[in-house]
Amino acid sequence: MKKLLAIVLCLIMVFSFAACGNEAKIVVAEKESAGEGVATTDKEFADYTYTAVDTQAKALMEVNAGTADAAIVDYVMSIGSIGEGTDYEALVVDGEGYAPEEYGIAFRKGSDLTAKVNEIIRKLKNDGKLEDIAETYKLDEILLGEKETDAFKQADKDSDYKYVMDKGELVIGITYFAPMNYQNEDGELIGFETGFAKAVCAELGVTAKFQEISWAAKETELAAKNIDCIWNGMTITPEREENMSVSIPYMQNKQVKVVKSK
């Protein structure tokens, strides 16, 4: 009887250890982001439990704190945000990345402002100003080349261009994440997208007004005219091009898996 009891206890211990070893890992990503798409569809994460978070910064915090095993974030965010000399020295990029993508700026569907901004983007590229801004944030190597688009023509009615010019400001919907839009130690908003948007607005002759939004509600905010554009490392997708007017792509990106170094 004692021998049988010992065997039973041994089996219980074996199964307990096996269960611990097979405990599901946790992967996090920003809600309704390209990272969420990777985390929920890529076969590599089939055995992971997915948890959505509010921002990409929160995703990195979860991994750093040990409450998640991996985060899927934009490659551009990983540049300068993790590793030696950052707040997340223990975090590293694992693998080559997923889902190559391009960034664009979104305006309201049918907006004539899109073509005007496209003209300015091409000018900033030709003048070397866009590369200078990108170089500041170590992003110059992933800028995209010039692309031809339709010439600007102001709409006869419901002109977004006239609407923005009349009020003298472009309200830009953003979320905070480095190196695109973030606050320095003095509370000043800086980043690649911040500098890029200011340069475009200077050419337009209007003030750049940055407004924090919920990324999940970005299209609603745009349609309601609470903002005039979405300018925050936005991935160009067929769905977004269907629902909004999207600028020429200006930067290439991908999603990467961030983990704690071993």
Side-chain angles (χ1 to χ4, degrees), residues 5 27 36 40 71 162 179 206 213 235:
L5 181 60
V27 59
E36 182 176 69
T40 56
K162 184 177 186 303
V206 299
I213 59 172
T235 303

Side-chain angles (χ1 to χ4, degrees), residues 102-136:
E102 297 177 337
Y103 282 162
I105 309 155
F107 299 89
R108 280 177 278 278
K109 183 69 176 178
S111 175
D112 56 350
L113 189 58
T114 312
K116 185 64 178 178
V117 169
N118 283 340
E119 286 186 355
I120 296 174
I121 292 173
R122 290 197 300 273
K123 182 178 184 298
L124 292 175
K125 286 182 177 179
N126 290 334
D127 293 346
K129 292 180 180 178
L130 188 56
E131 185 174 0
D132 289 343
I133 297 169
E135 190 173 1
T136 302

